[in-house]
Amino acid sequence: MSEPRKHHFVPEVYLKRFAINKSGDIFSLRVKSEYKNQNVKKINKSQVCYEYNKYTFKTDKIINANKLEDPNFIEKNRFAYENKELDLLFDKLDYSKKLFVSEVRKLIQILLNLKRRNPAFSNEFLKPDSNQNFLDVNIVRLEKDLIKAGMPKKRVKSVINKVRNEMTENLKDEDYKLDLYRNNLLNYNNEIDQNDKPLIDRILSWEIIVYQTEYQNPFITSDNPVYTLRNFREVFNMNFNFVDGFAFPISPKSLLYFSKANSSNRFDLYKTITYSKATKDIVLLFNNGTIINSSKFIFSNMKEQLVITANFGDYF
């Protein structure tokens, strides 16, 4: 069996929702380029939003620490939700169905996982500030564990210094830093990650609105599709503090929006979802948010909609 080399950071099963045919062809426009007047191109979903070997572990230290027999473990095993949960839940929203509270929890987890897969997230691990934070957090944690285990203070100091020097040296290696990112992805599964539970509980209390539009005025998506909003004007890649909500286009027809404005911690068996008809201004507002948060490309099932959105945001 050949090893997977093209690792998609935006799932193909999601991009297919914006396709113009069953083969998965979509319209694509590069909006963040030094060259103006980019042309809309028709391209297959398999040819966008991927990096070669993005999720393949590279360093023996991390591979051995996780006792991995296959460096491609993440790509082969940790994205199973793509073919099952994502389409199932998004289809329910697309067709105005009810969702159990447990399904909404799973939906929020999927959206958080999609953010972690994206280069906009993984690139943070290459920044010096991120490295220093990783070092400080782990040193503090190790020191507490050693003291709790009863190790003499003098010995603790010696061990900490040795570990700090070794970690500092490791963090000079870009492959090692990206393996730390990949190490985070090992927690992926179809269940709720306990580390995410407080955030998921907070978002779960927010009002859910699914904006639905006409075929002639579709929502678009991008190579970095989930974003948060403040005052419907300021767009953030993923900041849940001091924002009004977060948005995610689930198809040309529908956009999912979690609104912080009307929060409630009272839940029944089902989570209340408001299905609202989107005006042209609402569609343009959210499409503009999508283009602002994109890394390079935006996608649609309608060529003209990409041009309209790009012109509105002066990206064309």
Side-chain angles (χ1 to χ4, degrees), residues 184-302:
N184 275 280
L185 301 184
L186 285 175
N187 292 323
Y188 269 176
N189 52 51
N190 288 331
E191 304 301 325
I192 300 300
D193 188 330
Q194 291 305 304
N195 293 324
D196 286 335
K197 191 175 183 302
L199 177 58
I200 290 174
D201 287 343
R202 180 151 59 101
I203 297 172
L204 186 64
S205 70
W206 297 2
E207 180 185 14
I208 298 180
I209 304 171
V210 176
Y211 288 102
Q212 297 183 320
T213 185
E214 303 294 333
Y215 175 81
Q216 298 84 354
N217 187 35
F219 290 108
I220 66 171
T221 191
S222 79
D223 52 5
N224 186 23
V226 190
Y227 60 92
T228 53
L229 281 167
R230 181 166 60 193
N231 299 324
F232 281 95
R233 298 185 186 282
E234 296 179 83
V235 176
F236 303 91
N237 182 46
M238 190 49 61
N239 177 1
F240 289 101
N241 299 313
F242 314 112
V243 296
D244 300 316
F246 80 99
F248 183 77
I250 60 177
S251 73
K253 172 187 174 183
S254 307
L255 180 136
L256 174 65
Y257 183 66
F258 287 81
S259 174
K260 194 176 179 180
N262 299 307
S263 300
S264 174
N265 290 310
R266 296 183 61 183
F267 305 123
D268 295 316
L269 186 61
Y270 292 96
K271 171 68 176 177
T272 300
I273 299 175
T274 301
Y275 289 91
S276 178
K277 184 176 180 179
T279 64
K280 287 185 177 180
D281 286 343
I282 286 290
V283 173
L284 189 58
L285 184 149
F286 281 115
N287 281 351
N288 190 53
T290 294
I291 203 173
I292 290 172
N293 200 59
S294 66
S295 296
K296 293 180 181 178
F297 294 94
I298 54 175
F299 309 107
S300 178
N301 66 332
M302 186 174 291

Side-chain angles (χ1 to χ4, degrees), residues 109 112-118 121 181 185 188 196:
Q109 181 73 74
L112 294 176
N113 288 349
L114 285 175
K115 290 306 298 182
R116 293 192 179 102
R117 286 184 64 169
N118 205 277
F121 184 85
Y181 157 71
L185 301 184
Y188 269 176
D196 286 335

Side-chain angles (χ1 to χ4, degrees), residues 17 24 39 66 104 126 136 164 170 208 220 245 287 295 309:
R17 302 180 71 84
N39 295 319
N66 287 295
V104 177
L126 299 177
D136 292 342
R164 183 187 295 277
N170 288 338
I208 298 180
I220 66 171
N287 281 351
S295 296
T309 308

Side-chain angles (χ1 to χ4, degrees), residues 61-125:
K61 288 184 177 70
I62 303 295
I63 292 173
N64 294 335
N66 287 295
K67 299 179 180 178
L68 295 175
E69 295 182 3
D70 186 353
N72 278 303
F73 179 85
I74 292 175
E75 179 67 13
K76 291 179 179 178
N77 299 278
R78 280 299 186 252
F79 301 139
Y81 68 86
E82 289 182 13
N83 298 319
K84 183 180 177 183
E85 305 295 346
L86 187 151
D87 249 358
L88 176 66
L89 293 173
F90 289 0
D91 279 347
K92 282 190 172 185
L93 294 174
D94 240 353
Y95 293 99
S96 307
K97 303 291 186 180
K98 290 183 177 180
L99 259 67
F100 290 108
V101 169
S102 58
E103 290 180 309
V104 177
R105 288 183 184 277
K106 194 173 293 185
L107 174 64
I108 297 170
Q109 181 73 74
I110 287 174
L111 298 181
L112 294 176
N113 288 349
L114 285 175
K115 290 306 298 182
R116 293 192 179 102
R117 286 184 64 169
N118 205 277
F121 184 85
S122 60
N123 289 341
E124 292 294 317
F125 282 74

